[in-house]
Amino acid sequence: MTSGTALLIAAAPAGKGRLVDATGALSPLAAVAPGILTRSATATVVELADPADPQTVLTRIRAAATEPGPLTLYLAGQLHLDHRQRLIHLALARTTPATLRYTSLPWHWLAAELATRRPGTTTVVVDLAAAPDAWPKLHAEGLGLGHGTRLYGRIVPPSARRRPAEPSYLKALAAVWRSGLNPPLARLHAQTVAQLGADSALFIAPDTASHPAPPPSPSAPGGPTASAQGLADLPSAAGSDPLPAILAAAHAGRHGEAASLAALWEGWALRTHGAASAEAVHWLEVRADLARLAGDPARSCELWAAAADARLARRQPPDDPAVEGAVDRAHHQWQEIGDPRRALELGPALVALRQRVPGRRPGAVEALRHRLKQLDSARSPRTEHPVS
């Protein structure tokens, strides 16, 4: 018997920064039978209402993505643009314009987690409001999650009204389901679009265009390409190296596109060669370096550390240059983290990794511990917390 998972996430900043009543979608969806939400015989439903920490959200998504059965993600919230990296982010409860990069969930993180799943097993249904800075980019380029993930939903433009927008799209779906009807999602989406009226909103569905598609981006022959609707099929065998095209996109400032392509190739490597394969580790390291190029040292540190752990799990010795290099890069990126809270979150795991892989530079473990104590003291000057 197939068991599915539904993950319901509703998030928006508190106060004047709230553009949509995101949590208003949860009660109608929670009243729908779990099996309808997941479109499976048995179901698990998980709710996240106004989460504040992007790592918590990412952990929930990652856990759901590991389940082998069908996964449906329902997402209500608002999208903002990081002006430094030109990347779309999903705002969370504590997000403000000044803290966007540290308190929101980058959209390409979601794409990366879902890219590892078997194609055709994942559906994402969104009801989103766009901030004024994000709307032009979304209107021109759309919103994608990559090949293999079905994406349905609506994005509404900034409103002149001071009152937050209603998640009318998700409420309309829930109303149909609660009436006892359960049409195919594509048909239900079309009916909902007709019911709500197109207005100036963007409606998203697989294989449909709600806006002019941008010019195709460069890619390696035979490899995946990015478009407004997502990423094209991967070949059954990677005939030519896609890395130059991915790096070209990153160096051109198209960091979201580069990260999505790398995640897609990593998913192909995982499905083709397995999680412990050299190919999968290679693409994990590519994503780590792309995070560095995008100016996200915390994510880069996390990915380099994961790559080092993967190499150690492959029985590569701690003094292997590839293992040492991954840990050195994780350590260097950790030192570049500007948010003390994130540095403290990642620090203990990095200390444990450094103890296994001390590297060739004397005193690396001690320097890491010393920096952690400084950060901890600065955060809580009257209380000392031991650092492992």
Side-chain angles (χ1 to χ4, degrees), residues 183-194:
L185 191 52
R187 186 192 308 165
L188 180 55
H189 169 81
Q191 293 171 351
T192 304
V193 171

Side-chain angles (χ1 to χ4, degrees), residues 287-305 325-339 342-343 346 350 354 368:
R287 289 206 294 126
D289 205 40
L290 290 176
R292 175 189 65 83
L293 291 172
D296 191 348
R299 184 62 170 163
S300 182
C301 169
E302 194 174 31
L303 291 170
W304 276 119
V327 178
D328 288 345
R329 290 177 177 87
H331 191 160
H332 175 73
Q333 288 298 297
W334 181 81
Q335 292 174 315
E336 299 294 313
I337 298 173
D339 180 4
R342 283 292 288 131
L346 295 174
L350 186 57
R354 261 299 184 206
L368 180 55

Side-chain angles (χ1 to χ4, degrees), residues 1 4 36 38 49 71 87 91 125 127 137 140 153 156 221 242 244 249 264 280 304 333 375-376 383:
M1 182 178 294
I36 293 179
T38 62
L71 169 63
L87 296 175
V125 185
D127 199 343
K137 182 178 179 68
V156 296
L264 188 60
W304 276 119
Q333 288 298 297
L375 291 170
D376 197 47
T383 307

Side-chain angles (χ1 to χ4, degrees), residues 134-225:
W135 178 249
K137 182 178 179 68
L138 291 165
H139 190 267
E141 301 178 12
L143 189 69
L145 281 174
H147 168 68
T149 299
R150 293 182 293 266
L151 178 61
Y152 292 91
R154 179 187 72 156
I155 307 174
V156 296
S159 172
R161 299 181 304 169
R162 294 185 177 182
R163 192 171 62 184
E166 290 291 323
S168 304
Y169 177 86
L170 284 175
K171 286 183 174 181
L173 299 188
V176 172
W177 287 328
R178 294 200 312 274
S179 73
L181 299 176
N182 187 19
L185 191 52
R187 186 192 308 165
L188 180 55
H189 169 81
Q191 293 171 351
T192 304
V193 171
Q195 173 187 336
L196 296 177
D199 294 329
S200 56
L202 294 178
F203 286 92
I204 308 166
D207 303 321
T208 64
S210 55
H211 49 77
S217 58
S219 68
T225 59

